[in-house]
Amino acid sequence: MTRSNMHIKLTNGNIIQCVADSSSAPEQGWVVETLIIPLLALNDAEKELALITEWCTMNEQRVNAVYRYIISLPSKTVHFFEENYSYSEDKFYLGDNITHRYDAYIASHNALGELLNDINENPL
């Protein structure tokens, strides 16, 4: 299991912090397909908050989180970083920007979707 600290700006401008506790590396698929893609499709802050509340531990950040997602729902952008925590300073800080891993997963997800659509529209 990989945890991610999530920093999410809702479409109404409110900013929330939460933790995604289950399989939150993009390559594992769960966080992207269950949380991020559905969030990006919504344009209603109440529905966004309901979805986040269903899948995340609200108003927390975990020192053992491996990743940090920064998601802006108004601009529909996702940034993905390694998460670091300094015990001596009691402070979180961003590690390397690894958004390319998220982007690669999205590209493969979209390519698979296009392939399945083509197969469904043009059966053998």
Side-chain angles (χ1 to χ4, degrees):
M1 176 192 329
T2 54
R3 288 185 174 85
S4 290
N5 290 330
M6 312 286 281
H7 299 253
I8 304 170
K9 183 175 188 178
L10 303 176
T11 55
N12 65 4
N14 289 344
I15 297 173
I16 61 167
Q17 293 182 348
C18 60
V19 178
D21 283 317
S22 299
S23 304
S24 60
E27 300 87 356
Q28 294 169 325
W30 178 87
V31 72
V32 176
E33 295 176 27
T34 305
L35 184 61
I36 296 174
I37 290 174
L39 270 178
L40 294 171
L42 297 171
N43 287 307
D44 180 313
E46 288 182 26
K47 291 178 181 176
E48 294 161 0
L49 188 56
L51 180 62
I52 294 165
T53 302
E54 180 179 352
W55 295 109
C56 297
T57 303
M58 301 300 293
N59 302 315
E60 286 191 24
Q61 299 287 275
R62 301 265 170 82
V63 298
N64 63 347
V66 177
Y67 304 117
R68 182 189 304 188
Y69 284 90
I70 300 174
I71 302 169
S72 173
L73 297 175
S75 65
K76 307 294 186 202
T77 58
V78 176
H79 298 280
F80 181 55
F81 298 88
E82 291 177 351
E83 181 73 288
N84 294 294
Y85 180 77
S86 169
Y87 287 92
S88 62
E89 298 176 23
D90 189 29
K91 178 181 167 183
F92 291 97
Y93 60 96
L94 286 178
D96 292 339
N97 182 338
I98 51 175
T99 304
H100 64 277
R101 287 176 46 193
Y102 168 81
D103 293 339
Y105 183 84
I106 290 296
S108 67
H109 181 273
N110 290 342
L112 179 59
E114 290 173 14
L115 177 63
L116 292 174
N117 285 340
D118 186 48
I119 290 169
N120 287 332
E121 292 174 4
N122 303 304
L124 297 175

